Amino acid sequence: MSRFRQRALLTGCVLTAVLTAAGLFVTGDGIDPDLWLFVLAVAFLGFLALLDPWVRRRHNAALSTDEHLDVACRALAVGLQAQWNEEVRSRGLTEPDLLDLHWTATEQDLSDERPAPPGRSDAVVGAFERQANRRMVFLGGAGTGKTTVAMLLTCGLLDRYTGGMVPVLLPLSTWDPAAEDIRTWLTRRLYEDHPALRNTELYGSYAGDLLVEQQLVLPVLDGFDDIPGHQRADALARITKAFPANRPLVLTSRTAEFAQAVRAAGPVPGADVVELAPLDLDEVAAYLRNSADSWGAARWEPVFIQLREEPDGRLAEALSTPLTMWLASMVYAGGEAEPTELLDRGRFPGARAISDHLCDELVSRAYGNRAFAHHARASQVWPRDRARRWLEFLAHEMRERGLRELAWWELRRSVGTTWLALLGALVLGAIGGFGVAWLMAYSITPKLAPVTGLVAGAAVGAAALSASREREVKPRLGIWRSLLLVPGVLGLAAGLVFGALYGLSAGLVVGLGLAVAVALRFALSSSAELSQASSPQWTMSRDRVAVWTGSLVLAVVFGSAAALVFGPAQTGMVGLGLASGLMLGFALAVLHLRWWWFTVARIWLALRGKLPWELMVFLEDSRKLGVLCRAGACYQFRHGLVQDRLAEHVAATRSEGPALRSLFSARATSQR
């Protein structure tokens, strides 16, 4: 639904719940509670009918029109522009002394086009638009700035957007070529990152599918080398088939991996293939001087002398990539370590040893450092050893699944599926069952309290087990998209049951309250903010609002029902009804929300010491400290090298355990 109707529905639901409760406490003034509740129920149903798109027969089941798609493109461009511009600022890519990355045509035969002209990152948009087919492949080694160029290109195109194709930057690590087509994956990612595309009133049905099908999305595909090696040739063939020579395309990859795939599957037709050049050593020296104060710049002079004496040496090779140079500026900025240690050939025999050391020191410097945390505006100072252990766990889990993105709703995969379902079902069943039994224990049928609580708990637990299974979300059309019929039918059914047990007023209260709760869920699940910049906090906040709003409404319903059954004067019973309703409402509200299953997984992993209790705060602070970055609704490590280095520590620790046990066993055997 539109933003106006969404806000109107939220206001109407809350107002109805308040009037339901308030009206029951003024019955002493001659107001008939049955009449009050009946009029309120009819008024609420009429209010829903005014807002219901199914009743109005507009913007509902029809496929997205050209007008719908144009509105969706413009709103999507606004949201992506805000998202990526904020990320560019957080990475320091808008600073005046930012390095200008250069590229030239690759020396290998990887393109069916003529050699591309040289270019630089501050003019990447112009280079892309001058290319005849608007198809470019950026190659380079690890840390050479491929993702940075792709991000700058995306931001530049979004800043100039006036209509047509919307550039969407996505990491290819989340695509499995053997499981789904590239266009299916692209559509799925659009819906995951921008759930408002399912808003059938604003954008029609299947808007995300049609954006891809009608070539209104410009795919900027980052990290082709993150696809497993045995799948790269097939993946490249699928990409070139899905996006032929007449469709714009941007692809980034490490050079060797892309060259291997091209030899097996052929080049990307109509694309300019360029390779990012190493940084000039004078640029490196200027950047490191500018990133430090006068005293810090002086400490770099022995390193600069070494670079001039050995321009092809291990140190020059390491610092000639933007990533390693940035890591060096971060690690040695505080004066706690001397950059001259990089001159030690014994500790650092090659460029890889230098980059590994800098990745390790980035984590060590970011955490446990009060001054650095204050400078980065982190919320707290995280213990260094524990922060490293948490990051290593996340890096290892992402590496096991072949991912470069950390989505908060995917944390559930780090807990066994069976364990997660059982834990979530037991907790929700206990909360819901106890809430019902607690209220029934003081009702007119207290002997039924244990049985009622067990039945309610079992029902909630069974529903939780069913909800724990991941399902593909699809647009709901027709009667199931109706705002009037679903709340009306469910409210009527519940009202008849409670009315038969406790009287007409109680039935009206419960039926009306359930109808309000269902309508609220409808409103809160309708994503109207396509132009809102996506972020982990924003996507999670929508789930949290749905949980607590639904819980509070059911709390009011149960409190009001308790007031009718036991009398408004018995304030203790009204409070008991509110508390019981809050527990049952919470159990029912979180069943199908990703937030609940994330919370179960987070608490379980925190109890085992794998992750911190304040996980989202830790992740956001890690972003501010430079260890993580943000890509839409997901987090990423600042670079794949940082993630790989942390994951290697876990693998090394796990391999050392069996080796030490076998060593001790061999010694014990020899002693015997």
Side-chain angles (χ1 to χ4, degrees):
M1 59 176 59
S2 65
R3 189 179 308 175
F4 169 77
R5 289 191 175 86
Q6 187 181 42
R7 292 176 178 175
L9 181 56
L10 290 173
T11 303
C13 288
V14 174
L15 183 62
T16 301
V18 172
L19 290 176
T20 301
L24 299 177
F25 292 91
V26 295
T27 54
D29 298 332
I31 299 177
D32 184 1
D34 294 340
L35 179 60
W36 172 271
L37 293 172
F38 180 78
V39 171
L40 196 58
V42 172
F44 182 69
L45 291 177
F47 171 71
L48 295 183
L50 291 175
L51 300 178
D52 196 331
W54 183 77
V55 173
R56 293 184 294 110
R57 299 283 183 178
R58 292 190 304 169
H59 309 299
N60 188 38
L63 289 175
S64 300
T65 63
D66 291 341
E67 291 77 14
H68 283 139
L69 295 180
D70 182 64
V71 172
C73 284
R74 294 182 182 278
L76 181 61
V78 170
L80 288 172
Q81 182 185 30
Q83 168 190 321
W84 288 114
N85 282 340
E86 196 279 333
E87 186 60 26
V88 163
R89 287 192 295 270
S90 70
R91 297 193 189 195
L93 300 180
T94 58
E95 297 175 1
D97 57 348
L98 177 68
L99 281 172
D100 191 12
L101 305 179
H102 299 262
W103 65 75
T104 57
T106 179
E107 297 179 357
Q108 303 184 52
D109 185 17
L110 303 177
S111 174
D112 60 357
E113 292 284 303
R114 291 182 299 176
R120 61 185 192 274
S121 58
D122 63 349
V124 63
V125 177
F128 176 75
E129 292 180 339
R130 285 192 298 271
Q131 207 274 343
N133 304 306
R134 302 184 73 188
R135 293 164 67 85
M136 295 189 72
V137 179
F138 294 96
L139 304 179
T144 53
K146 302 180 295 296
T147 300
T148 297
V149 172
M151 191 183 305
L152 292 174
L153 174 60
T154 302
C155 288
L157 292 174
L158 289 170
D159 290 340
R160 301 184 182 189
Y161 184 81
T162 57
M165 300 184 73
V166 181
V168 178
L169 173 59
L170 292 172
L172 280 170
S173 64
T174 60
W175 176 43
D176 182 1
E180 59 184 341
D181 180 72
I182 182 69
R183 287 168 296 192
T184 304
W185 167 79
L186 181 57
T187 302
R188 176 172 61 82
R189 285 302 309 263
L190 281 176
Y191 282 124
E192 287 178 354
D193 295 345
H194 309 282
L197 282 171
R198 296 191 179 93
N199 190 325
T200 56
E201 181 182 357
L202 288 182
Y203 312 119
S205 301
Y206 302 100
D209 302 72
L210 293 173
L211 287 177
V212 176
E213 182 66 27
Q214 297 188 17
Q215 305 178 19
L216 293 174
V217 171
L218 194 167
V220 183
L221 308 178
D222 184 34
F224 176 79
D225 51 280
D226 288 327
I227 298 174
H230 66 281
Q231 294 182 319
R232 289 191 194 117
D234 179 54
L236 187 61
R238 289 174 178 268
I239 291 173
T240 55
K241 181 179 179 181
F243 307 109
N246 61 342
R247 292 193 59 177
L249 173 69
V250 179
L251 188 66
T252 74
S253 175
R254 297 187 187 183
T255 306
E257 287 81 350
F258 183 77
Q260 183 181 15
V262 167
R263 284 192 289 270
V268 177
D272 280 352
V273 181
V274 299
E275 189 169 7
L276 291 168
L279 296 175
D280 183 82
L281 295 182
D282 291 334
E283 292 180 311
V284 173
Y287 180 87
L288 292 175
R289 285 194 184 99
N290 293 333
S291 63
D293 54 22
S294 57
W295 170 248
R299 294 188 298 123
W300 278 103
E301 287 305 322
V303 176
F304 299 153
I305 294 174
Q306 180 69 23
L307 291 177
R308 288 192 293 270
E309 291 178 352
E310 297 184 8
D312 298 323
R314 58 179 183 84
L315 189 56
E317 180 185 354
L319 294 179
S320 62
T321 63
L323 172 67
T324 310
M325 186 191 59
W326 175 81
L327 288 172
S329 68
M330 294 290 290
V331 168
Y332 299 112
E336 299 177 0
E338 288 292 332
T340 52
E341 68 178 355
L342 299 177
L343 303 176
D344 188 344
R345 297 180 185 272
R347 290 180 61 190
F348 311 112
R352 176 61 187 272
I354 293 175
S355 64
D356 287 347
H357 168 72
L358 294 176
C359 288
D360 293 340
E361 289 302 310
L362 173 68
V363 177
S364 298
R365 184 178 184 273
Y367 303 97
N369 189 326
R370 186 175 299 277
F372 187 65
H374 177 74
H375 176 74
R377 298 182 179 179
S379 64
Q380 56 186 289
V381 181
W382 298 92
R384 181 173 299 161
D385 293 339
R386 281 187 282 175
R388 178 180 290 276
R389 187 169 67 249
W390 298 331
L391 291 172
E392 288 175 352
F393 172 78
L394 292 173
H396 176 73
E397 289 292 310
M398 293 168 65
R399 185 178 187 178
E400 287 292 301
R401 298 198 295 271
L403 299 177
R404 292 297 189 189
E405 283 190 332
L406 175 62
W408 60 267
W409 58 87
E410 294 288 346
L411 187 68
R412 59 189 297 172
R413 298 184 184 273
S414 298
V415 181
T417 305
T418 304
W419 267 112
L420 182 77
L422 290 176
L423 286 171
L426 285 174
V427 173
L428 289 183
I431 294 174
F434 179 77
V436 173
W438 191 16
L439 182 62
M440 293 296 294
Y442 294 91
S443 69
I444 57 177
T445 55
K447 294 182 179 180
L448 297 178
V451 176
T452 307
L454 287 174
V455 171
V460 173
L465 285 175
S466 175
S468 66
R469 294 178 297 173
E470 297 184 73
R471 298 179 177 87
E472 182 181 357
V473 181
K474 298 180 179 179
R476 293 181 177 180
L477 307 177
I479 190 172
W480 294 108
R481 196 58 179 168
S482 174
L483 180 59
L484 173 64
L485 293 184
V486 177
V489 170
L490 293 179
L492 178 62
L496 291 175
V497 172
F498 275 81
L501 292 175
Y502 302 109
L504 178 60
S505 295
L508 286 170
V509 167
V510 173
L512 181 58
L514 185 59
V516 170
V518 174
L520 265 178
R521 183 173 179 83
F522 184 99
L524 295 171
S525 64
S526 298
S527 305
E529 299 287 343
L530 184 56
S531 59
Q532 169 72 37
S534 182
S535 69
Q537 290 73 21
W538 181 75
T539 54
M540 184 180 288
S541 67
R542 293 183 62 253
D543 278 11
R544 284 201 298 259
V545 169
V547 169
W548 296 117
T549 306
S551 302
L552 290 173
V553 168
L554 280 183
V556 172
V557 170
F558 270 67
S560 302
L564 286 171
V565 173
F566 302 105
Q570 301 185 33
T571 55
M573 295 309 302
V574 175
L576 176 60
L578 290 171
S580 300
L582 186 63
M583 287 187 287
L584 182 60
F586 175 84
L588 296 177
V590 302
L591 282 177
H592 295 281
L593 294 179
R594 299 179 301 182
W595 174 82
W596 169 249
W597 302 106
F598 160 79
T599 302
V600 173
R602 177 180 63 82
I603 293 176
W604 177 251
L605 293 172
L607 287 172
R608 299 175 60 197
K610 302 290 186 180
L611 292 175
W613 288 98
E614 299 176 288
L615 176 58
M616 297 305 293
V617 178
F618 172 71
L619 295 178
E620 185 60 20
D621 280 352
S622 297
R623 185 184 73 88
K624 295 177 181 178
L625 295 170
V627 179
L628 299 180
C629 56
R630 205 162 58 192
C634 304
Y635 286 103
Q636 296 176 335
F637 282 90
R638 186 62 183 251
H639 193 274
L641 288 178
V642 179
Q643 176 184 332
D644 294 340
R645 183 62 178 165
L646 289 166
E648 287 171 4
H649 286 300
V650 178
T653 302
R654 293 183 177 181
S655 62
E656 287 175 1
L660 289 175
R661 286 195 294 270
S662 62
L663 177 62
F664 291 146
S665 176
R667 287 182 177 177
T669 302
S670 63
Q671 290 174 358
R672 288 197 297 268

